[in-house]
Amino acid sequence: KIEKPKSIKCGTFGATSLQQRYLATGDFGGNLNIWNLEAPEIPVYSVKGHKEIINSIDGVGGLGIGEGAPEIVTGSRDGTVKVWDPRQKETPVANMEPVQGESKRDCWTVAFGNAYNQEERVVCAGYDNGDIKLFDLKTMSLRWETNIKNGVCSVEFDRKDVNMNKLVATSLEGKFHVFDMRTQHPTKGFASVSEKAQKSTIWQVRPLPQNRDIFMTSGGAGSLHLWKYEYPAQRSKKDSEGAEMGVAGSVSLLQNVTLSTQPISSLDWSPDKKGLCVCGAFDQTVRVLIVTKLNKV
Amino acid sequence: GTTKTYQIPISHLDYKFIEKCRDVKHLEKILRVLRSGEEGCYPELTLCCEKRIEHLDPMSKALRKDKPAATASDFTAEEWEAINGELMVRWLTEMNEGDKKPQFPRTDTLCERQDNLPPIRCSSSCLPANQNKKLQNKETNKKNIPRDYSEWDKFDVEKECYKIDEGCEENNSKARFNRPSLPVIEKKIDTTGMTKKDKIFIATREKEKGNEAFATGDYVEAVTYYARSISVIPTAAAYNNKAQAEIKLKDWDSALQDCEKVLDMEPGNIKALMRRASVHNQLQNYQAAIEDLSEILHVEPENAIAKRNLLEIERKLKGLKPVSETQGKGKRILIQEIGDSEGDEEREEDTQERGGSKAEDRETQKQKESTESRLKKGTSEKKPQKKLSDHEGSQSADSGSSLPPIAAKLKSEGNELFKSGQFGEAVLKYSEAIEYVISLGEQSPADLSILYSNRAACYLKEGSCSDCIQDCNRALELQPFSLKPLLRRAMANESMERYRQAYVDYKTILQIDSSIQAANDSVNRITKTLIDQDGPSWRDKLPPIPVVPVAAQLHRWDGGNFTSENRPRSEEAEEKFKTLKNEGNDFVKKGKYEEAVKKYSECMKLNTKECAIYTNRALCYLKLYKYEEAKQDCDHVLQIEDSNIKAFYRRALAYKGLQNYQASIDDFNRVLLIDPDVLEARKELEEVTQLLNLDSSAVAGSQQKQRKKITIQEVTESDEWEERQFSTSEDIAADHVTSKEAVQGSVPPKTLEKLRFSEPDNAYDFGQIINAVNANKDKAACADLLTMIDPKQLPVLLSNKLEGEIFLIFIQSLEYYVVGKDPGLVYQHLFYLSKAERFKVVLALLSKNEKEHVQQLFDLLAEKRNHQYSSGDLKSLRKVYEL
């Protein structure tokens, strides 16, 4: 146990190898640090990345997840989303920020996706005003944006390392949206289906690492919901002008459970053991759960 | 009265009403009122309402209730035991063991991996978060305003047509951007520096990805992911799933190969047999399909699907028999070959593999479960001793006769155990049997050899490779050059990474029987590894490969072929013919058409009557653009068989290549006459007719020539597609080549992409292009860019991004590409470049070498006088550049 001067907000192992297991953290001061947990006194990488708190962090390229360079993305209250390569000190390798004059929105969540070969990679960011933006890191452009009307608490691709398949975005008001990311219509963007899970905020969503169509949401009322996405018979169709557009499937609730009276703010699955998951709640408890019979779904 | 919320009449809160109500929405409202308790608490009524809703709409959201987490008390003792034991005991110990194992030496692996990483993303890239609005603006700029009359006068038809063409292309490229037709995913994963644990992790992960892709119907993607999984660790499950996906893609040949790989690893794998049977069925290889299905039925006599399929195929076979007399012969040999390459029919193994069940169709899963449950129920119910087909029979027959009864019993018990996957116990049985036989004195080396060989198989399954090798050695001492122990020893050696020994064994096997697919594949694989390991002189380090006496080969064929005594000579020639043909087909698959042609030509020496060889060779010639030869081969075939559709089709293509369009059209018409459903032929026909028209109109501009060349390429590709339609048992379609080509085709070459930039109209676009140009030091592209833009715009476009590197590449591209053509433009550029922001700074930081470049450019400018600038202008500019 070590104490650091600044409170830590978020962390990820996503950008290091299976053997190395360095932890990347973002703190309340806007610093991005990478720690070797076996010698945690001094960070192996440290940068003052943002002016304000880093709300969210995600990594890709490590742990055998995703091809290509190890990269970390951070989203901050200062409205910027920055991509970092641990091999490059000081400056981010990509910086997504609002142009001057435009109001800065609080970025609440970031996620990597589409890392199926060495070049392709996208970053998805969710903002407090309900904006979801998808940045393509290969072409360095904004590929898509939408608004889901309520603050975006968590976005997550069903898998980071396949050709973009699905994106789940959860909102402040208890709704979540599942986007089919295979087919992008020139004007309509991606098809989506939304579902209301509960009356309170959905803090986080995590797809099951062993099956991308199953995901769990953690909610403000201390509950967990397990969902399954079912694909439509045809995932895309032609619109009147002949452009391909996606068709959304449906979402069904498999199971739900209430663990606490306080919000469950974070959640993750075990990559090794199917169904084993851990969640942390505002009642200062970390709970470990096992979901059984996932094989039969 | 009504309720407070929703204003439902109170009378609706009644059993009778609820029982009859069909409106789910209404019922949900009632339920909410009841639950809230504002009209009083009626637990029974609430329950009734819930039941009614569940009856009408089981998925209703109103039924969702908060539930506490399940704990031990919620389960029966057995269930809890199962969950807890699985998790706490088995998985925890597994993980702990994994953690305790010494980690791979870190520094090495890290260095190695760093090398493989792609470069750091090009820095200082900053993108505004609201870019697409501007993009939309750009699109709306292109308005369609009606022209006024004066404009019509200037109307240039050619130009407008060109514009329309361009527009089409633009749209196409847009579509491509939106939906890349095939994502380029590496087929192999670089595993250097990975520990075994990492590999297992990644292999299962890739397999899971494959399963998911399969579940969504993306079979191409699924195949890729399975291939990736296999490239890390080859497992039977991954091959099996890949085969299934390939069946879905109708890629029969690859599916066949994969099934065979599974059967090499796990002889008797039911799923693989089932799939191979269906592939054979599709390839109209009915005899082989029947063979496989009956093998399944030996193990699982009540497998309903197998039975049904068997009946179906037998019916088909009866219907077809008179037609495919000649083909039947070839086919029968194929079956035997497969049987041999499996090499291990003595036992059947149960499919215990659990992974990848997602991708399996329900039916096979059910049937698997039934097997398992049967096994669990107790193996007391003795399975009928398997009657073994073909050459296997001889072995078991003579073993039955000469083994002492006790040893025979032990052996069969061992076989049973092996079948049910209990390898450890099987080893014990075999050991007992061996001891018993030895104690009797060595009467029958053959039997003892088989026992050793079986025990070796158990060891191999268990993973104790050194024991396996020992047993194989003993078996080989007793019975030199017998296939199975050799194969097993090779596998064991390979998994112990003793590649040289494995190589020698595989080579020996191939000397005995060159048609064993597994050995062929392994030899190729090992050769690659050895070259990586030892460099080009890897052969020197090999131990000598023993020469197999002809007797052993002959012996094998005698044993292997129950009919061989009747017609040994023709059999032998036919066998050789077959291997040659197979080799040829393999070459075709690999895209080595010249080698394939050689093999086929050798085939022809042995048998001049087999049409398939000629049509295959014609295909190769077509690929090699040797149209004349292709035509001759087709002609030959058509002399023998005047309605061979494939020959007609290929001759048509050859004629097309020879630009003899009329003849080509005739042949295509003949193809369509025989089978009007051949779409490819129809398409080709249209194309050729067009070409003919073009030719006759005789406008042979250079552009057209180019166009022609492209169509020819298309022909060769679509030809391969045609293969799929035609492919029968004797022909191998080059399917995976096609897909590879398709992948390559869909990705435009990089250089092209780079040159295709349009005129940038803002600093951001310009910066992007400059970054790309700079990253590749592509001076030609840079020169294009500079000629494209207006020099006056340069300072604006550059904004504050001018850097030493960019400056240099500007100077160089101007020097190399532009100054010769348009010195005036160069002067303008230099002039406006000096007005750009940061110019002074960059200039101050130039090295001596770089300054020389600038100097040279000015000298060149001075030489090429131009009216756009005077020597005075040049001089003052020199000053600005501090020369």
Side-chain angles (χ1 to χ4, degrees):
Chain A
K1 184 180 170 180
I2 325 136
E3 227 162 87
K4 297 290 170 193
K6 287 268 178 11
S7 307
I8 288 171
K9 166 77 181 172
C10 48
T12 179
F13 286 102
T16 69
S17 67
L18 274 172
Q19 293 121 31
Q20 224 173 11
R21 296 187 208 183
Y22 288 169
L23 177 65
T25 60
D27 67 16
F28 276 63
N31 298 302
L32 165 67
N33 291 313
I34 301 179
W35 310 92
N36 180 355
L37 293 181
E38 280 165 30
E41 290 75 29
I42 309 162
V44 289
Y45 179 91
S46 178
V47 65
K48 165 89 180 156
H50 295 272
K51 293 187 203 101
E52 285 176 86
I53 175 177
I54 295 180
N55 277 323
S56 175
I57 192 167
D58 194 17
V60 74
L63 303 183
I65 299 169
E67 306 256 325
E71 282 178 337
I72 295 165
V73 61
T74 53
S76 156
R77 184 176 290 164
D78 67 8
T80 59
V81 174
K82 293 180 179 175
V83 180
W84 309 86
D85 191 314
R87 294 168 295 173
Q88 176 171 300
K89 307 278 176 211
E90 306 299 331
T91 51
V93 292
N95 183 3
M96 278 81 62
E97 59 187 345
V99 284
Q100 275 177 348
E102 196 180 300
S103 62
K104 287 179 176 164
R105 305 309 315 207
D106 188 349
C107 175
W108 279 354
T109 175
V110 288
F112 272 119
N114 209 23
Y116 63 88
N117 65 19
Q118 301 236 325
E119 292 90 33
E120 295 283 353
R121 193 165 287 185
V122 299
V123 167
C124 188
Y127 297 84
D128 65 338
N129 61 347
D131 273 348
I132 298 174
K133 291 176 198 259
L134 185 71
F135 305 102
D136 192 325
L137 291 181
K138 187 189 179 194
T139 57
M140 283 290 173
S141 59
L142 179 71
R143 182 155 164 194
W144 170 69
E145 65 180 333
T146 190
N147 189 296
I148 60 167
K149 297 197 184 87
N150 287 305
V152 186
C153 298
S154 170
V155 289
E156 197 74 35
F157 285 96
D158 57 353
R159 266 180 192 280
K160 299 180 200 302
D161 51 357
V162 297
N163 186 8
M164 274 200 298
N165 186 50
K166 282 202 313 288
L167 176 79
V168 185
T170 71
S171 76
L172 210 53
E173 298 295 303
K175 256 191 177 178
F176 65 86
H177 300 251
V178 186
F179 296 91
D180 187 314
M181 306 297 280
R182 273 295 153 86
T183 328
Q184 185 177 9
H185 187 272
T187 53
K188 291 183 186 128
F190 299 103
S192 76
V193 59
S194 69
E195 171 82 16
K196 190 158 174 112
Q198 62 223 27
K199 291 201 180 66
S200 47
T201 306
I202 309 180
W203 280 82
Q204 192 139 45
V205 57
R206 290 275 184 232
L208 183 67
Q210 290 84 6
N211 183 348
R212 66 182 180 186
D213 301 327
I214 294 173
F215 54 94
M216 181 121 84
T217 56
S218 76
S223 57
L224 295 177
H225 289 75
L226 188 69
W227 305 91
K228 179 174 178 17
Y229 181 84
E230 249 135 320
Y231 296 97
Q234 209 71 40
R235 285 186 75 181
S236 69
K237 62 178 182 202
K238 295 251 199 273
D239 68 356
S240 52
E241 285 156 22
E244 289 272 327
M245 62 188 282
V247 179
S250 60
V251 175
S252 59
L253 181 71
L254 295 177
Q255 190 54 278
N256 65 323
V257 69
T258 307
L259 295 172
S260 163
T261 52
Q262 299 291 314
I264 295 172
S265 58
S266 70
L267 167 76
D268 208 356
W269 294 98
S270 160
D272 301 313
K273 174 73 190 164
K274 193 175 194 172
L276 189 66
C277 63
V278 60
C279 59
F282 279 16
D283 57 6
Q284 311 241 324
T285 324
V286 172
R287 293 178 172 86
V288 177
L289 292 99
I290 175 92
V291 181
T292 54
K293 295 180 183 162
L294 281 169
N295 278 337
K296 306 228 171 100
V297 179
Chain B
T2 56
T3 56
K4 275 173 227 159
T5 38
Y6 301 127
Q7 264 72 50
I8 302 166
I10 292 284
S11 59
H12 286 186
L13 304 186
D14 178 61
Y15 286 104
K16 273 183 192 156
F17 178 81
I18 289 171
E19 287 295 332
K20 278 178 193 155
C21 182
R22 304 200 132 267
D23 182 357
V24 180
K25 286 268 159 64
H26 193 66
L27 281 172
E28 281 175 3
K29 280 181 191 166
I30 293 175
L31 182 63
R32 255 172 243 140
V33 170
L34 285 171
R35 275 184 183 163
S36 71
E38 53 185 26
E39 305 295 327
C41 198
Y42 311 101
E44 292 280 307
L45 191 60
T46 319
L47 212 67
C48 167
C49 189
E50 278 171 10
K51 269 189 186 155
R52 180 72 188 155
I53 295 176
E54 198 179 348
H55 175 70
L56 290 172
D57 178 14
M59 299 304 284
S60 166
K61 281 177 198 171
L63 290 175
R64 285 177 196 167
K65 273 190 200 168
D66 291 346
K67 284 177 231 166
T71 53
S73 56
D74 296 331
F75 296 99
T76 62
E78 270 169 45
E79 279 173 333
W80 183 249
E81 184 57 38
I83 295 169
N84 210 31
E86 218 312 76
L87 182 69
M88 291 304 159
V89 184
R90 210 179 61 81
W91 183 68
L92 267 188
T93 44
E94 216 172 80
M95 281 291 137
N96 285 341
E97 264 169 38
D99 285 346
K100 269 178 223 152
K101 267 179 206 158
Q103 297 266 323
F104 216 70
R106 288 192 173 183
T107 43
D108 292 9
T109 54
L110 281 186
C111 289
E112 268 177 84
R113 298 212 75 188
Q114 298 278 322
D115 295 339
N116 301 332
L117 288 179
I120 298 173
R121 215 172 277 283
C122 103
S123 65
S124 76
S125 46
C126 173
L127 64 154
N130 64 340
Q131 211 195 348
N132 64 344
K133 280 174 200 158
K134 202 177 44 205
L135 273 177
Q136 275 166 6
N137 286 345
K138 216 193 272 175
E139 271 168 26
T140 50
N141 276 345
K142 294 181 206 155
K143 272 183 245 165
N144 279 328
I145 312 162
R147 297 165 205 275
D148 57 28
Y149 291 112
S150 60
E151 231 179 295
W152 277 111
D153 295 336
K154 294 178 220 156
F155 189 78
D156 183 348
V157 181
E158 294 279 294
K159 220 183 210 171
E160 292 299 306
C161 289
Y162 184 67
K163 256 188 209 164
I164 290 166
D165 278 353
E166 230 176 8
C168 285
E169 262 165 46
E170 212 170 83
N171 281 340
N172 283 343
S173 68
K174 229 179 263 170
R176 224 179 298 140
F177 165 74
N178 280 338
R179 221 172 53 92
S181 56
L182 265 179
V184 189
I185 305 167
E186 292 280 325
K187 284 242 164 127
K188 273 189 181 157
I189 297 178
D190 189 6
T191 52
T192 44
M194 283 192 199
T195 60
K196 190 148 192 205
K197 223 170 104 193
D198 293 0
K199 280 188 191 168
I200 293 170
F201 178 80
I202 285 168
T204 35
R205 219 188 140 77
E206 296 295 323
K207 202 180 78 197
E208 277 162 4
K209 281 199 240 172
N211 291 349
E212 289 166 353
F214 187 93
T216 41
D218 293 330
Y219 301 120
V220 180
E221 207 174 307
V223 168
T224 318
Y225 281 121
Y226 290 134
R228 278 163 71 91
S229 174
I230 289 164
S231 80
V232 180
I233 299 173
T235 58
Y239 273 119
N240 225 339
N241 292 356
K242 188 165 160 238
Q244 176 77 341
E246 279 156 350
I247 288 174
K248 291 275 180 192
L249 288 170
K250 302 200 161 62
D251 185 353
W252 309 117
D253 294 292
S254 314
L256 187 65
Q257 279 179 2
D258 286 330
C259 287
E260 257 145 46
K261 291 228 176 78
V262 177
L263 293 169
D264 283 343
M265 287 185 208
E266 291 178 7
N269 185 316
I270 295 285
K271 267 186 261 172
L273 282 172
M274 199 69 145
R275 279 168 202 167
R276 194 170 68 181
S278 66
V279 171
H280 280 317
N281 184 17
Q282 289 295 338
L283 294 171
Q284 305 185 343
N285 219 339
Y286 301 119
Q287 203 61 50
I290 289 171
E291 204 82 11
D292 281 344
L293 288 172
S294 46
E295 196 170 336
I296 295 170
L297 288 175
H298 276 307
V299 187
E300 288 180 11
E302 58 264 45
N303 189 323
I305 307 154
K307 269 187 198 164
R308 204 180 52 218
N309 290 352
L310 189 62
L311 272 179
E312 220 166 81
I313 292 168
E314 271 168 354
R315 210 177 304 138
K316 266 193 210 171
L317 192 62
K318 266 178 209 155
L320 240 137
K321 208 145 208 176
V323 188
S324 61
E325 188 66 24
T326 46
Q327 284 180 346
K329 208 176 182 183
K331 262 182 250 157
R332 208 174 308 145
I333 298 164
L334 191 72
I335 300 157
Q336 282 159 9
E337 184 245 325
I338 289 159
D340 294 339
S341 68
E342 263 177 57
D344 204 352
E345 282 160 334
E346 237 169 288
R347 318 87 187 279
E348 280 285 305
E349 206 195 322
D350 265 303
T351 45
Q352 291 278 15
E353 106 217 29
R354 268 236 146 266
S357 58
K358 279 271 129 51
E360 306 308 326
D361 43 336
R362 280 270 161 76
E363 289 179 307
T364 32
Q365 204 170 350
K366 248 188 246 158
Q367 131 213 345
K368 190 175 79 183
E369 272 162 16
S370 79
T371 347
E372 274 171 3
S373 65
R374 204 143 43 81
L375 281 170
K376 266 177 219 155
K377 254 187 250 162
T379 37
S380 61
E381 162 201 351
K382 278 254 171 174
K383 282 178 212 158
Q385 182 69 35
K386 231 186 77 167
K387 284 251 168 62
L388 298 150
S389 47
D390 298 356
H391 75 284
E392 225 298 313
S394 66
Q395 263 190 4
S396 61
D398 65 28
S399 69
S401 64
S402 59
L403 261 188
I406 298 170
K409 188 167 168 267
L410 282 169
K411 184 183 155 199
S412 67
E413 277 171 7
N415 288 355
E416 283 289 319
L417 286 167
F418 185 92
K419 269 187 228 171
S420 54
Q422 290 156 319
F423 306 120
E425 283 159 54
V427 166
L428 291 180
K429 290 286 174 203
Y430 288 134
S431 308
E432 267 181 63
I434 290 167
E435 267 172 45
Y436 185 79
V437 173
I438 292 175
S439 71
L440 284 180
E442 278 184 39
Q443 312 161 319
S444 50
D447 294 327
L448 200 54
S449 162
I450 289 173
L451 282 172
Y452 275 125
S453 158
N454 284 0
R455 197 168 72 178
C458 295
Y459 281 133
L460 189 61
K461 286 282 174 199
E462 279 190 319
S464 44
C465 297
S466 50
D467 288 332
C468 171
I469 291 172
Q470 251 178 21
D471 271 355
C472 289
N473 287 342
R474 282 189 205 125
L476 288 169
E477 269 170 38
L478 294 164
Q479 195 87 318
F481 301 113
S482 51
L483 265 181
K484 278 179 217 174
L486 270 172
L487 202 59
R488 280 172 196 149
R489 190 169 72 182
M491 282 175 175
N493 271 325
E494 197 184 343
S495 49
M496 287 175 83
E497 307 199 339
R498 290 157 65 170
Y499 294 115
R500 294 190 194 112
Q501 283 86 340
Y503 182 86
V504 170
D505 279 344
Y506 279 127
K507 272 290 185 195
T508 324
I509 292 163
L510 287 177
Q511 281 183 53
I512 301 168
D513 180 0
S514 59
S515 62
I516 296 182
Q517 194 53 41
N520 269 320
D521 292 345
S522 305
V523 163
N524 291 341
R525 197 169 53 230
I526 294 175
T527 312
K528 230 176 265 169
T529 326
L530 283 175
I531 290 174
D532 286 347
Q533 207 177 314
D534 298 341
S537 61
W538 60 279
R539 268 176 208 280
D540 304 343
K541 295 185 185 171
L542 284 179
I545 299 169
V547 179
V548 178
V550 185
Q553 292 178 28
L554 279 179
H555 168 74
R556 209 202 75 79
W557 284 115
D558 282 347
N561 228 316
F562 65 113
T563 45
S564 61
E565 279 131 75
N566 303 342
R567 41 183 179 127
R569 291 241 28 123
S570 66
E571 192 74 275
E572 222 175 297
E574 205 149 349
E575 193 52 43
K576 198 175 169 199
F577 171 77
K578 225 191 84 57
T579 39
L580 279 170
K581 198 175 105 181
N582 275 348
E583 280 167 15
N585 289 348
D586 283 344
F587 278 126
V588 173
K589 273 192 229 162
K590 287 174 197 150
K592 296 178 180 168
Y593 300 112
E594 283 184 45
E595 281 91 335
V597 167
K598 272 181 214 156
K599 290 287 171 202
Y600 288 138
S601 308
E602 277 179 58
C603 282
M604 285 170 198
K605 282 177 205 157
L606 291 167
N607 184 350
T608 47
K609 285 190 187 119
E610 177 92 27
C611 294
I613 297 298
Y614 283 96
T615 47
N616 284 0
R617 195 169 73 172
L619 175 69
C620 297
Y621 280 133
L622 280 174
K623 296 277 175 205
L624 296 165
Y625 305 111
K626 292 184 179 170
Y627 298 112
E628 192 55 47
E629 286 89 335
K631 190 191 125 243
Q632 278 167 10
D633 275 351
C634 293
D635 285 342
H636 184 94
V637 174
L638 292 171
Q639 274 170 15
I640 303 173
E641 222 179 278
D642 56 2
S643 64
N644 188 319
I645 185 166
K646 243 182 272 181
F648 273 127
Y649 184 79
R650 285 183 189 148
R651 193 168 70 177
L653 291 174
Y655 275 131
K656 187 177 168 191
L658 292 167
Q659 303 190 357
N660 187 349
Y661 298 125
Q662 195 54 57
S664 174
I665 288 172
D666 288 348
D667 276 349
F668 278 129
N669 278 329
R670 257 174 239 156
V671 171
L672 291 171
L673 208 67
I674 299 169
D675 183 354
D677 297 333
V678 185
L679 284 179
E680 277 72 19
R682 207 167 281 264
K683 231 188 303 168
E684 289 292 335
L685 183 60
E686 273 170 32
E687 218 167 275
V688 176
T689 322
Q690 246 169 16
L691 283 174
L692 184 67
N693 291 341
L694 269 180
D695 226 26
S696 55
S697 65
V699 194
S702 63
Q703 214 184 349
Q704 239 168 357
K705 248 181 203 164
Q706 190 137 18
R707 220 177 252 172
K708 246 181 254 164
K709 208 180 275 170
I710 291 163
T711 49
I712 289 166
Q713 275 170 355
E714 272 170 16
V715 172
T716 56
E717 264 187 26
S718 59
D719 176 41
E720 275 168 356
W721 285 103
E722 165 259 346
E723 280 291 340
R724 245 187 220 183
Q725 286 211 335
F726 282 128
S727 59
T728 52
S729 62
E730 23 68 275
D731 211 310
I732 291 224
D735 281 337
H736 73 270
V737 181
T738 325
S739 59
K740 222 186 262 171
E741 275 180 19
V743 171
Q744 282 165 355
S746 68
V747 189
K750 269 210 165 163
T751 47
L752 264 176
E753 207 169 42
K754 211 152 291 143
L755 291 171
R756 242 194 289 136
F757 47 75
S758 55
E759 188 182 335
D761 57 5
N762 58 25
Y764 178 73
D765 286 353
F766 184 77
Q768 288 286 70
I769 298 170
I770 282 295
N771 276 340
V773 164
N774 201 15
N776 299 322
K777 299 278 169 242
D778 192 343
K779 286 170 200 139
C782 183
D784 284 348
L785 178 67
L786 287 173
T787 44
M788 205 183 278
I789 58 169
D790 180 8
K792 286 181 195 126
Q793 290 288 319
L794 199 57
V796 181
L797 291 175
L798 275 170
S799 77
N800 59 353
K801 296 288 188 294
L802 186 62
E803 282 170 34
E805 280 191 336
I806 296 175
F807 182 82
L808 196 69
I809 198 165
F810 272 7
I811 296 294
Q812 285 174 342
S813 51
L814 288 174
E815 182 183 341
Y816 295 142
Y817 294 98
V818 189
V819 79
K821 286 181 226 155
D822 191 353
L825 186 70
V826 174
Y827 172 79
Q828 294 272 318
H829 269 307
L830 287 175
F831 182 75
Y832 285 104
L833 186 60
S834 68
K835 302 277 190 252
E837 234 175 291
R838 286 172 53 86
F839 171 75
K840 289 278 173 209
V841 185
V842 169
L843 201 63
L845 293 173
L846 281 189
S847 72
K848 208 174 172 190
N849 219 343
E850 289 160 350
K851 276 217 160 158
E852 256 165 40
H853 271 293
V854 184
Q855 180 73 42
Q856 272 170 18
L857 183 57
F858 271 97
D859 291 346
L860 279 170
L861 270 183
E863 272 173 37
K864 306 209 173 187
R865 274 296 165 79
N866 192 298
H867 59 92
Q868 286 179 15
Y869 55 92
S870 66
S871 57
D873 289 343
L874 211 56
K875 220 175 219 173
S876 56
L877 194 59
R878 266 182 205 258
K879 246 178 221 160
V880 177
Y881 276 84
E882 294 172 8
L883 295 170

